[in-house]
Every structure is written in C-alpha cells, then in structure tokens.
Amino acid sequence: MDRQQDTYLLEMTGISKQFPGVKALDKVSLKVRPHSIHALMGENGAGKSTLLKCLFGIYDQDEGDIVFLGEKVNFHSSKEALEAGVSMVHQELNQVLQRTVMDNIWLGRYPTKGFFVDHDKMYQDTQAVFDELDIDIDPKEKAGNLSVSQMQMVEIAKAFSYNAKIVIMDEPTSSLSEKEVSHLFKIIKKLKEKGCGIVYISHKMEEIFAICDDITVLRDGQWVETRPLAGLDMDKIIGMMVGRELTNRFPEKTNTPKESILHVRNLTALNQPSIQDVSFELRKGEILGVAGLVGSRRTDIVETIFGVREKSSGEILLHDKVMRNKDAHEAIQNGFALVTEERRSTGIYGELDITFNSLVANVEQYKTKSGLLSNSKMKSDTQWVIDAMRVKTPSHATTIGSLSGGNQQKVIIGRWLLTGPEILMLDEPTRGIDVGAKFEIYQLILNLANKDKGIIIISSEMPELLGITDRILVMSNGRAAGIVETKNTTQKEILELAALYL
C-alpha cells in the first residue's frame, strides 16, 4: 500500500506541556495518515493521554504546533475539536444513563423542526449510522440498560456521526469479550476504509499487531520513534517503551505455599444470579488465580467474601475461625483486603491527594488519645506507600487522578497493605497498565506471597494467570468448575472448564 509519506491528516510537532513539579511532554510529535490505524504506545505516565488532551482542547500546550487537514489549529474545547472532525472514545464512558441512546449521540446538536426537537429525524439519523457500522442497538433504548460493549459502540457511532477524520480510541477493549472485540475491530476497519486516521491506545500487544499499521512510542514524556509496525515484534516494542530489554514478562516464582489459612465452603450469594455452592482453600504464601469467561461471576466471589455482597449460605473460615464479614469494614478488621476491578469508579478518590488515597482504609490507626489525627504518622505511612510501591509522584499533595493508571494502582495496593491484611484479593489488578508497571505489580504480589500472605487474583488475561499463580480456580456460570495446578495445566483445559456449566 502507498504509505502517502507526504500526506497526513494530523501533524503534531514539538508539543510540550508542563504541570507543577513535572514536565509531562517534552517536544513530542505524532503524525497520522489517512486510511491508517496508528498505535500510540508507552508506559503509564509516558505522556500519551496528555498529548491527546492537547489535541482535543482539554489542555493548552505550552509550545508546539498542531496541523489538522492542512491547517494549523488550536482547539480550546472538546466541542471545537468534535465539530472540526476530531473525536475521542474515552476509556471511561461518560454517557447520560437516564436518556436514550439517540439522545446521547446527538446531545447538544439535536435536529429541530421549528422550536422543537425532531425526534423522528433523530431516530432515522441514528439508525442510519448504526446500519452503516453494523450496530444492532435500539436508538430508543435507555443508555443505562446497555452493556459496556454496547456503550462503547454508541461512543464510536457518536464519533462517526460527527464525520470525524481523526478518531482516538483509549483502551477500547479493556472490558470487552473476545466476540465483542472482533466486532469492534470490524467497525474500526470500516472507519479506516472511509479514510479516517485512528489513533489507537492499548497495552494489549496482540491487538496492536492485529489491526495497526504504524506505531509511535513515547517514554517519560518524550518522543522515541515513529515507524511502520511491519518488521517489529513484541520484544522490540517493549524495548522502545521501557528503554531496556524486558527479558521476562513475569518475575521468577520464589514463593512456597504452606498450610491452608482460608477455607471457603459452599458459598452462595443472596441475590441471584450470582455464585452458587463455591468451595476452595487458600494456603499461606499462595497466589490463587480465578479464571472464567465474561459472566462467570468471578468478581462475585471476592465481593461476597469481602461483605460487599450478602451471602445466603456457606462459610468463610480464616485460621478455622468463622468470619461473618457483614460489610467491608468488618472484613478489613478481620484481615481481608480487596483491590476492586474498576479503579476509577470504586478504587480512587480522583480529586483528592495521595495522602488521603493511601490512608483512607486505615484512618483509625492515626487517631491519638485526644481523638485527633497524628500528622507525623500519616506523613510517614504515605511516604512508605510511595517508596514501597515505587509510586511516581511529585509530592504527597498531588491529586491521585493526575497520576498514570499504573501509579494509581500502586497507591491502592499500598493503601490495603497498610491495613496489614492476611488475605489480599485483587480483581483485574493490571487492567490498562503497561508492561513495565505490570512487572512491578507482579513483583509486589510475589513479595507479599513470600511474606506468607494469602493472595487471590482475578484476571481475564490467561498469560497473566499462568505466569504468576500457583493454582487456578476456574468459574463457569457462577459455579466452581474445577481447580488446577498452574504448572501442570494448559489454556485449553482452563477454557474447557470455563464452558462446563454454560
């Protein structure tokens, strides 16, 4: 295919952006061709999101130029960018859940008939876009009734409805099943055929090689390289991202599981459909994985153990003592900790600082005899989280929402370690995190296992489960389909068990 070397839809050159205490971008460039899918890659904190927010009018760059469709531009709002033909499908979907699908697509630019909204035209225009993209969703359905994948499709349809020439996709498959990912890729390829340039951000290497044409790599806020994807392999890309060879994706297994400390017997959640009659044991120093297809109710296990979901029957025993765990507070007091799947919605307090986010699960420990909080102990423990978790942050007072996803996750893990848990449960702990930060989190988990903690990890990534666990509990439609020894199992065996009760 003609690479159209001299023809670009978008040229960002010499883009720099500074925030208090950190230079997020230092003379970064990005050039996107028509009819192409361009991977933008780099570790968390490399500057990818900041660069695209400068394009999209969310941030004003300190220096550098943006040329779009041959003209120099400087969008001052996302509305300006959208109307000009630049659209962004965010990782966190921000739809008005109480309104219809078509309301969400045309919000702020409703077709009118006189002084009134022309609902018939809005329906027809929405259906026309859906037909074009092979999207099977009722335009009159409430957005709140859609699945995550359907919401993702609506966001892409909205971008298409603006006749966008540049479409930015930030981790679009993070919550999708394999079938849904396949459908998404078909839509992305249709946009490419129509002449769009797609900027694709993903930490999933398999996706990058499956659909992308070009790649730009950023590292520590600086441009590293832009080149065709052809001729590159995973090791080369990782080397470009981290500035060194990452010879192993997983740390060496050094933990030794010992006696059983947690017994879960015939656990069934109150509100069905959910888990039914689930039993397993967890040993001291063991990393137990939980596998299963979308809808297998993996998350329900840890939520029921942690008291977020009410159980109808079954027992949870720690050191042979029955744990009631009626709510999260009681579970914490009993030595349990849970790192939730949705980091932004249920993990962090995005507008608050590192100190608050580090200490919020352990506040009682900082009260003095007079009932006041000990600033010195709070400061000391916050610094421990930053040092022990290797969190990249300018200061304790930095808002956690301004950190990269990997650094946010490290703070959350540090928060729970301050509670001194015996059982640490992690739900998709590396979702949306780059390979370098993943390795660091795997090492943290392994270190905890070496300190005789019992660890449960839920993951959708099979290589991750096979790379760091000792045993894997396979869930199928709310039931435990079997437990396998990691070193003796295969992906085929796990998938067969996952389909057992479907």
Side-chain angles (χ1 to χ4, degrees), residues 301-318:
I301 295 175
V302 293
E303 288 185 345
T304 307
I305 292 172
F306 199 62
V308 176
R309 288 177 178 271
E310 190 175 350
K311 68 181 176 67
S312 63
S313 61
E315 284 186 321
I316 303 161
L317 297 96
L318 182 62

Side-chain angles (χ1 to χ4, degrees), residues 39-43 202-210 212-219 224-225 227-246 434-436:
L40 180 60
M41 300 197 72
E43 293 189 274
S202 177
H203 293 302
K204 297 180 180 178
M205 292 286 183
E206 296 81 5
E207 293 180 3
I208 298 301
F209 285 108
C212 293
D213 304 297
D214 303 312
I215 182 171
T216 290
V217 176
L218 307 184
R219 184 171 67 240
V224 175
E225 192 170 352
R227 57 176 291 179
L229 197 65
L232 287 174
D233 59 26
M234 190 181 296
D235 289 340
K236 284 181 182 175
I237 293 176
I238 291 172
M240 290 159 65
M241 287 169 58
V242 302
R244 65 187 189 278
E245 282 194 31
L246 198 63
D434 64 78
V435 287

Side-chain angles (χ1 to χ4, degrees), residues 361-379:
N362 209 32
V363 173
E364 294 296 322
Q365 301 301 313
Y366 306 108
K367 286 185 178 177
T368 62
K369 290 180 180 178
S370 61
L372 300 175
L373 294 175
S374 169
N375 283 329
S376 61
K377 185 160 179 20
M378 289 168 66
K379 185 176 180 182

Side-chain angles (χ1 to χ4, degrees), residues 100-111:
T100 65
V101 166
M102 60 186 191
D103 276 329
N104 274 276
I105 289 178
W106 302 102
L107 197 63
R109 54 195 179 115
Y110 290 133

Side-chain angles (χ1 to χ4, degrees), residues 4-45:
Q4 299 173 299
Q5 293 280 5
D6 301 319
T7 306
Y8 294 102
L9 288 172
L10 173 70
E11 296 177 78
M12 302 179 75
T13 53
I15 305 295
S16 296
K17 179 66 180 176
Q18 185 141 349
F19 298 104
V22 60
K23 189 157 192 176
L25 297 174
D26 185 10
K27 295 182 171 54
V28 170
S29 296
L30 173 67
K31 296 183 179 182
V32 182
R33 299 178 295 112
H35 297 282
S36 75
I37 304 171
H38 195 115
L40 180 60
M41 300 197 72
E43 293 189 274
N44 290 104

Side-chain angles (χ1 to χ4, degrees), residues 90-323:
H90 296 273
Q91 185 178 2
E92 288 79 35
L93 302 172
N94 298 310
Q95 293 177 358
V96 185
L97 301 181
Q98 295 76 25
R99 304 300 294 269
T100 65
V101 166
M102 60 186 191
D103 276 329
N104 274 276
I105 289 178
W106 302 102
L107 197 63
R109 54 195 179 115
Y110 290 133
T112 55
K113 187 187 287 183
F115 293 107
F116 302 98
V117 174
D118 189 340
H119 289 280
D120 289 339
K121 179 169 172 36
M122 184 161 62
Y123 178 86
Q124 290 162 8
D125 289 350
T126 304
Q127 193 60 58
V129 172
F130 284 0
D131 290 344
E132 184 83 19
L133 298 177
D134 290 332
I135 294 174
D136 184 20
I137 298 173
D138 181 359
K140 294 181 180 178
E141 183 66 76
K142 270 193 178 180
N145 295 335
L146 302 183
S147 67
V148 172
S149 64
Q150 288 175 317
M151 288 184 183
Q152 194 79 267
M153 300 304 172
V154 170
E155 285 296 302
I156 294 167
K158 184 175 180 178
F160 189 80
S161 73
Y162 275 98
N163 196 27
K165 294 297 182 186
I166 291 287
V167 180
I168 300 159
M169 296 193 174
D170 187 0
E171 296 284 354
T173 66
S174 61
S175 301
L176 304 188
S177 69
E178 196 171 321
K179 184 179 178 183
E180 291 163 344
V181 170
S182 178
H183 185 205
L184 175 66
F185 284 179
K186 285 179 185 175
I187 292 175
I188 291 172
K189 286 172 182 174
K190 281 200 171 191
L191 294 174
K192 173 184 169 179
E193 287 166 9
K194 290 183 175 295
C196 290
I198 294 96
V199 180
Y200 194 88
I201 300 175
S202 177
H203 293 302
K204 297 180 180 178
M205 292 286 183
E206 296 81 5
E207 293 180 3
I208 298 301
F209 285 108
I211 62 166
C212 293
D213 304 297
D214 303 312
I215 182 171
T216 290
V217 176
L218 307 184
R219 184 171 67 240
D220 297 330
Q222 297 182 323
W223 176 86
V224 175
E225 192 170 352
T226 297
R227 57 176 291 179
L229 197 65
L232 287 174
D233 59 26
M234 190 181 296
D235 289 340
K236 284 181 182 175
I237 293 176
I238 291 172
M240 290 159 65
M241 287 169 58
V242 302
R244 65 187 189 278
E245 282 194 31
L246 198 63
T247 51
N248 295 307
R249 289 176 68 184
F250 306 99
E252 183 185 350
K253 291 280 290 172
T254 55
N255 61 310
T256 305
K258 298 169 185 169
E259 71 275 11
S260 294
I261 54 171
L262 178 71
H263 294 81
V264 174
R265 295 174 182 162
N266 310 112
L267 193 64
T268 300
L270 180 63
N271 295 317
Q272 294 293 327
S274 187
I275 57 169
Q276 299 177 60
D277 200 30
V278 171
S279 298
F280 64 90
E281 294 181 5
L282 178 67
R283 293 173 288 178
K284 185 184 288 188
E286 180 181 32
I287 302 172
L288 176 69
V290 182
L293 304 173
V294 173
S296 64
R297 307 290 175 182
R298 295 167 303 182
T299 296
D300 294 18
I301 295 175
V302 293
E303 288 185 345
T304 307
I305 292 172
F306 199 62
V308 176
R309 288 177 178 271
E310 190 175 350
K311 68 181 176 67
S312 63
S313 61
E315 284 186 321
I316 303 161
L317 297 96
L318 182 62
H319 299 301
D320 295 324
K321 182 182 177 183
V322 174
M323 299 285 120

